Amino acid sequence: MESKNLKSACESCPQYNPNGLKKLGVDVEKYDFVVALAGNPNTGKSTVFNALTGLRQHTGNWPGKTVTRAEGGFQYNDQKYKLVDLPGTYSLLSTSEDEEVARNFILFGKPDVTVIVVDAGRLERNLNLVIQILEITNKAVVCLNLMDEAKRNHIEINTRALAKRLGVPVVAASARFNEGIPELINVVSEVANGTIVCKPHRIKNVPKHIDEAVKKLSEALKKQFPTLPNSRWIAFRLLEGDQRVLEALRTEEFNPS
Amino acid sequence: MSAADKIIEMSNELRWRLGNEFHDEITEGIYADAHEIVAETVTTDSRKGRNAADIAIDKIVTSKIWGFPIMFLILAIVLWITIIGANYPSSWLASLLLDTIHPALKDGANYLNFPWWLSGFLIDGVYLALAWVISVMLPPMAIFFPLFTLLEDFGYLPRVAFNLDYLFKKAGAHGKQALTMSMGFGCNAAGVVATRIIDSPRERLIAIITNNFSLCNGRWPTQILIATIFIGAIVPSVFSGVAAVAAVIGIAVLGMGFMFFSSWALSKTLLKGEVSTFNLELPPYRPPRFWKTLYTSLIDRTLIVLWRAIVFAAPAGAVIWLISNIDIDGYSIAYWMIHALDGFGWLLGLNGVILVAYIVAIPANEIVIPTILMLTVLVTGIHAGEGAGVMFELGSASETGELLSAGGWTLLTAINLMLFSLLHNPCSTTIYTIYKETKSFKWTTVATLMPVFMGFVVTFLVAQLWRIFFQ
């Protein structure tokens, strides 16, 4: 009979690629790409991490559970990805240890893709971090997690409009039930390989006098380091007096190596 | 002047001109952006806000009247299930590992003509220490950790933090210390690592130093056993279980009291400073995925803690066997140590045996009780269990009680042992973790010695008062 060849709608979709994914756990010796996992506390970042790597680290339901930088890996379409789970933070602007770890990894660790896990039910507060990260890196994917809870609370999000506004791909997911994870992996690989090019949102509501100062500084930075992708963020940090950024400037760390 | 220096100079000048408002203005700008984006992309049914069930539960568990009673009730239920439930697998494991495998190993060693000291060292020392730790620790952990993890996954821990926040603030500490304290009830080393969620270095140090006052998993069995034998015995047998659980909870709550007190004392003296404010998020309640939680808590917590205990117990077992079998002037090293510490032990309402046990058991709190029993046999010369230098478990709590009474134990000894088990130096893993986290010799020393010192003071005072009023 023909039944052998019958396929479900999912299986006939071009996105369907079950053999392409291999969960590597902590076996990440050689890798093609580094993916950073950022997000607010208690948004299910660790659950996404487990879903991607096949690791089963315990995920507690309380904010701030992940305090160390966990690493794992997965393989997709013959490319190996190293996944770095950053501590959950609400912002990247303060001097606390967890925020410094997250900020410096995204800025200096130069991950190939940064996945920002956000709580779909608390989008406005979560966007605070998203907007900051989009200033630092061009290659980001927003994972709109906890969609099941958002739905239960009668919150609807237009993901396409959101992706357009943020200038990066947005993937809706419920990581606890593995929903949206295959799509997320696919989008991550496309951003990593340059198939998808992001045009990330930049902070708009900046008072005029600050904007002028930032522009001035940013232009001086660009002149000195022509390849710098995030001169505006560096300018923000210099105005904030970030010691690590000042040090990087002195040691010419921003030069392409 | 290099180009980089010029940029730095320019930024310094601009920073000065922009003034203090800069940080807030950027933050406001980001919020304004976020607000605009959300307005365009998110629709909420405004009539239905946050999950009604969540709000209803929160109203009860964080209420001023019911918050604390519910907390203690939950703690009591978890402990009760652990104590009652652990009995059966514990005795089963003990009969397997101690009564069946141990003699078999001895026979095997004899058959292979092992010299007595080698089979003693390996089988009576190392193997028995391991067997004890596994049979005593594994069952309560395999029950306690999953229960704790289920509560954690459900979302109850942040509510505990919410309830305790006010007390922590009063003590000059950070409200998030409630979370690290709760982790400490499982394992102090884990609790110390968890303090990384506290931003301010001052408050983080307070949380690290005082985490030891959370009664950890290695100490629960000691508390439970001693409470069952001595506290349970002073009430009619119908109530002995309840009395034992109440005594253990009493010790745990006392530990929290000491934690608040020492946090307060530290924040007024060595670690002065302002209390920082923070937003504590009350996450939505999530029905835990039962089997998954069971699996992860077993792998992540139970087995890892058990493995650690095994790694430390093996050498400790060897040391115990050695000090009770190497003789100086006709008596074992253990004998000399016990006699040297007996006087000081008496002052504290304890005895030399207990103090030696605590010195030997620095690597792992779990082996305190077997060491005490073994050393008691050694000094009293009673023939029970396996004899000199052999760690063992007695068949029942009442047998253990008889042995300890013969060793000169009274109700005072039991109470003070429970107090001292709460108030003494952290285990070596925790000490090492504290050093790794603080990178400071000074604070590691403070965190190590402060609780022992408090233990000495408290047991001394209790012993003197006891002797005045009851003897």
Side-chain angles (χ1 to χ4, degrees), chain A residues 207-223:
Chain A
K208 216 175 164 200
H209 62 287
I210 291 182
D211 200 39
E212 276 164 12
V214 169
K215 261 191 193 135
K216 206 172 152 192
L217 207 50
S218 162
E219 263 151 35
L221 280 162
K222 264 193 219 149
K223 222 164 102 192

Side-chain angles (χ1 to χ4, degrees), chain A residues 50-76:
Chain A
N50 285 349
L52 289 173
T53 56
L55 291 173
R56 287 193 179 78
Q57 284 166 331
H58 172 67
T59 53
N61 184 9
W62 52 282
K65 197 242 359 152
T66 307
V67 284
T68 41
R69 215 178 66 189
E71 295 188 358
F74 64 91
Q75 186 175 334
Y76 184 66

Side-chain angles (χ1 to χ4, degrees), chain B residues 432-447:
Chain B
Y432 177 64
T433 310
I434 292 173
Y435 181 73
K436 268 204 307 192
E437 291 298 316
T438 59
K439 296 195 182 65
S440 149
F441 185 74
K442 177 186 154 198
W443 292 117
T444 310
T445 313
V446 171

Side-chain angles (χ1 to χ4, degrees), chain A residues 42 58-59 61-62 64 68 90 97 124-125 149 156 158 165 176 201 204-205 224 236 238-240, chain B residues 3 15 23 26 29-30 33 35 40-41 43 45 149 152-153 196-197 204 281 283-284 286 289 300:
Chain A
N42 217 44
H58 172 67
T59 53
N61 184 9
W62 52 282
T68 41
Y90 294 102
E97 195 177 325
E124 183 161 346
R125 200 179 45 195
E149 275 174 26
E156 260 175 63
N158 184 342
R165 273 307 244 114
R176 246 153 74 86
H201 167 274
K204 291 193 178 68
N205 288 300
Q224 184 62 23
F236 280 134
L238 285 175
L239 292 174
E240 188 86 41
Chain B
R15 190 184 315 134
H23 185 95
I26 289 291
I30 294 170
D33 275 28
H35 187 74
E40 286 169 31
T41 55
T43 43
D45 191 337
T149 314
E152 193 185 332
D153 279 5
R196 292 187 197 169
I197 57 171
R204 194 176 159 207
E281 198 172 347
R286 295 181 179 136
R289 300 185 66 188
D300 276 9

Side-chain angles (χ1 to χ4, degrees), chain B residues 245-370:
Chain B
V245 170
V248 175
I249 291 176
I251 290 285
V253 171
L254 190 69
M256 287 163 73
F258 272 105
M259 191 207 50
F260 281 118
F261 170 75
S262 47
S263 297
W264 173 80
L266 282 168
S267 74
K268 289 279 172 278
T269 54
L270 290 173
L271 291 164
K272 258 186 214 166
E274 291 296 306
V275 177
S276 55
T277 53
F278 73 107
N279 285 318
L280 180 74
E281 198 172 347
L282 290 184
Y285 290 104
R286 295 181 179 136
R289 300 185 66 188
F290 189 79
W291 294 108
K292 208 180 154 201
T293 304
L294 230 55
Y295 175 83
T296 50
S297 76
L298 207 66
I299 298 295
D300 276 9
R301 297 215 163 128
T302 312
L303 291 185
I304 286 176
V305 175
L306 185 70
W307 176 243
R308 186 191 79 77
I310 287 173
V311 167
F312 281 108
V319 167
I320 291 167
W321 189 84
L322 285 176
I323 62 166
S324 26
N325 280 282
I326 297 176
D327 289 358
I328 298 172
D329 287 344
Y331 290 103
S332 65
I333 298 177
Y335 177 88
W336 289 113
M337 286 173 77
I338 290 165
H339 279 262
L341 289 169
D342 247 346
F344 184 55
W346 184 84
L347 273 183
L348 302 180
L350 300 168
N351 56 39
V353 167
I354 295 173
L355 293 180
V356 172
Y358 269 100
I359 295 171
V360 175
I362 284 177
N365 282 303
E366 298 80 13
I367 53 174
V368 166
I369 285 290

